[in-house]
Amino acid sequence: MINVAKTAGFCYGVKRAVDDVYKEIENGKKIATLGPLIHNRQVIEDLASKGVYAYDSIEDIPSDHTVVIRAHGVPRAVYDKMNGREYIDLTCPFVAKIHKIVSKHHKEGYQIIIVGDKNHPEVIGINGWCDNKAVIINDVKSEIDGNLASKDICIVAQTTINRDFFGEIVQNVKKTCKSTLVFDTICSATTARQKEAVELARESDFMVVIGGRESSNTLKLYEICSRFCETILTESKTELDKRRILRHNRIGVTAGASTPADIIK
């Protein structure tokens, strides 16, 4: 028996970004993405076959191309560097909301704390809306600097982190810092996908998690499912060991937010 999670696959922000880029391609527009559009190798390769490439900086993008800002969002400084260039902003609305929260409270004198991976493009983008002065925490064992105790704290979360993990870190911060303002900015789709992954893994003998190995939310799904049953992470069907899978009776399948429906099928 194979059960596929209802929430598996593209979230709203990723679907919107991918759909809009393909529309621009169909319209014959010259576009280039600032960083890989999504964390999915097959989609990136398909875009490259259509002449849409990812660049690390605006300066590297040909001047006759329209710049595409991906769903992860970018620091405020990136917009300042546009210098009149045409661009398409596909920042996920959930991420854009965090930018506004961080910018507002930083200006009001709050110390921003971001719970997330400092190397993830979304977190780098968020930090860029508070002059890159955020404290970034990604470990429940991290000691909270005593210097923060006297400051007004504003806490936000990377949209794709585990909710329980976020809650633990918030409690740790509150033990040291008396004045804390907490914004639970975890995406609702992430929460639903993680909750369903728990339920599905508990009912399964074996879980297949589909998605890019660079995808934060996919890795979180893998970690969650691994707590309850044997689990594998795969990017494509060619990686599957069918003999290993078919030894099990109840197989669950879920996928990250950057995984296209045809790959899941």
Side-chain angles (χ1 to χ4, degrees):
M1 179 174 67
I2 300 175
N3 290 319
V4 181
K6 294 178 182 177
T7 55
F10 280 177
C11 63
Y12 167 75
V14 170
K15 185 178 186 304
R16 167 177 169 261
V18 172
D19 287 350
D20 283 9
V21 165
Y22 276 101
K23 284 178 185 175
E24 295 296 341
I25 293 171
E26 290 174 7
N27 292 334
K29 199 160 193 172
K30 287 185 177 180
I31 57 176
T33 64
L34 193 55
L37 183 65
I38 62 173
H39 285 146
N40 181 271
R41 179 170 51 85
Q42 291 90 337
V43 171
I44 298 305
E45 289 175 354
D46 186 59
L47 289 174
S49 73
K50 293 174 169 55
V52 179
Y53 298 97
Y55 294 84
D56 293 330
S57 67
I58 293 174
E59 292 81 4
D60 295 333
I61 297 176
S63 59
D64 61 343
H65 283 52
T66 297
V67 179
V68 172
I69 296 175
R70 58 186 174 175
H72 292 122
V74 293
R76 188 206 308 266
V78 170
Y79 294 94
D80 297 335
K81 290 181 181 178
M82 289 295 180
N83 293 324
R85 289 194 64 163
E86 185 178 356
Y87 68 91
I88 302 169
D89 193 346
L90 297 179
T91 303
C92 171
F94 290 106
V95 176
K97 180 181 177 181
I98 303 175
H99 292 173
K100 292 178 181 178
I101 291 170
V102 164
S103 178
K104 175 180 182 293
H105 289 87
H106 174 64
K107 289 175 182 176
E108 293 175 356
Y110 284 81
Q111 171 62 57
I112 306 298
I113 292 180
I114 305 170
V115 181
D117 177 1
K118 66 180 180 180
N119 297 315
H120 193 280
E122 181 190 317
V123 173
I124 293 170
I126 294 169
N127 196 18
W129 288 84
C130 58
D131 297 328
N132 297 308
K133 293 180 179 178
V135 173
I136 302 171
I137 303 175
N138 196 34
D139 188 344
V140 292
K141 296 179 181 177
S142 295
E143 292 188 12
I144 308 303
D145 190 335
N147 292 328
L148 297 178
S150 61
K151 298 181 180 180
D152 292 324
I153 306 295
C154 172
I155 308 175
V156 297
Q158 182 180 334
T159 57
T160 54
I161 68 167
N162 180 276
R163 185 174 298 282
D164 292 337
F165 172 76
F166 177 64
E168 285 186 63
I169 291 180
V170 167
Q171 290 308 310
N172 288 345
V173 173
K174 284 185 173 181
K175 289 175 184 176
T176 301
C177 309
K178 305 303 179 185
S179 175
T180 55
L181 193 59
V182 180
F183 291 90
D184 182 348
T185 52
I186 300 172
C187 173
S188 56
T190 295
T191 301
R193 188 178 286 107
Q194 291 177 357
K195 181 180 178 182
E196 188 179 16
V198 170
E199 295 170 353
L200 190 55
R202 278 178 170 161
E203 298 171 354
S204 303
D205 304 313
F206 191 88
M207 283 293 300
V208 179
V209 179
I210 311 166
R213 291 182 173 83
E214 301 297 319
S215 166
S216 173
N217 72 88
T218 300
L219 292 175
K220 294 294 187 301
L221 290 175
Y222 174 74
E223 291 170 8
I224 289 169
C225 294
S226 297
R227 298 174 197 163
F228 302 99
C229 67
E230 186 178 353
T231 304
I232 61 168
L233 173 61
T234 182
E235 290 191 346
S236 69
K237 65 179 182 180
T238 58
E239 297 177 356
L240 294 177
D241 181 347
K242 293 183 180 179
R243 288 178 297 179
R244 179 184 177 188
I245 296 173
L246 294 176
R247 288 201 300 264
H248 303 276
N249 294 319
R250 298 176 301 170
I251 301 165
V253 179
T254 188
S258 296
T259 307
D262 60 329
I263 292 178
I264 297 172
K265 290 177 182 178

